[in-house]
Amino acid sequence: VESGSQKGWVASWLIKKKNYNSKSAGRLAEATIVLDPGHGGVDSGTQASNGAMEKTYTLRTALKVYKLLKAKNVHVIMTRHTNKPVALASRPALSNRVKANIYISFHFNSAGEQYAAEGYEVFKYHH
Ligand SMILES: [Zn+2]
């Protein structure tokens, strides 16, 4: 964009484009990322051995990632910012509506035995 003698750039996600292809958005600043803190409200998720609820950790983690991405000017959208319930179907619906390049749902799974679980799981969907 140009204004007078000044030139600048505007991220493509700020401009409404017809037939925008989300797959062509290669750079992080042009990507739309949806962060989904799992559970929320009356849906507490699993419970840690210290009594803390999964929904607390998913929100806390997603908010940290949100701030880091925002600092890098990434177009990032949260399914929830507070401890409120969000219907399961509305989470991916939001992601589809905004044509997200990446959708990340945060969860902290439990194990049947204390200290039996470690590491992380990543589930990916390719289409
Ligand atoms: Zn969960």
Side-chain angles (χ1 to χ4, degrees):
V1 293
E2 285 185 49
S3 176
S5 62
Q6 292 194 318
K7 281 187 181 176
W9 286 264
V10 176
S12 61
W13 55 263
L14 293 172
I15 303 166
K16 291 201 182 282
K17 285 183 173 178
K18 277 210 165 195
N19 303 317
Y20 180 71
N21 183 352
S22 62
K23 287 181 180 173
S24 67
R27 294 180 301 167
L28 198 57
E30 294 195 1
T32 295
I33 298 175
V34 171
L35 301 179
D36 174 39
H39 309 283
V42 293
D43 174 11
S44 60
T46 193
Q47 190 174 17
S49 56
N50 67 0
M53 299 297 184
E54 181 183 0
K55 67 179 182 179
T56 305
Y57 290 117
T58 60
L59 181 59
R60 197 176 294 166
T61 305
L63 284 170
K64 281 188 177 181
V65 175
Y66 177 81
K67 285 177 187 159
L68 290 169
L69 292 172
K70 277 287 200 190
K72 296 207 175 282
N73 298 312
V74 177
H75 186 216
V76 56
I77 297 165
M78 301 271 292
T79 57
R80 65 182 178 101
H81 286 268
T82 60
N83 178 30
K84 69 172 187 179
V86 179
L88 192 58
S90 70
R91 297 170 191 251
L94 167 67
S95 184
N96 290 333
R97 192 169 59 248
V98 299
K99 296 181 171 54
N101 300 92
I102 302 170
Y103 172 85
I104 302 171
S105 185
F106 293 86
H107 288 267
F108 292 88
N109 294 333
S110 63
E113 197 177 320
Q114 194 172 16
Y115 307 120
E118 60 180 82
Y120 56 88
E121 295 174 306
V122 176
F123 300 95
K124 297 190 295 184
Y125 173 71
H126 293 277
H127 60 94

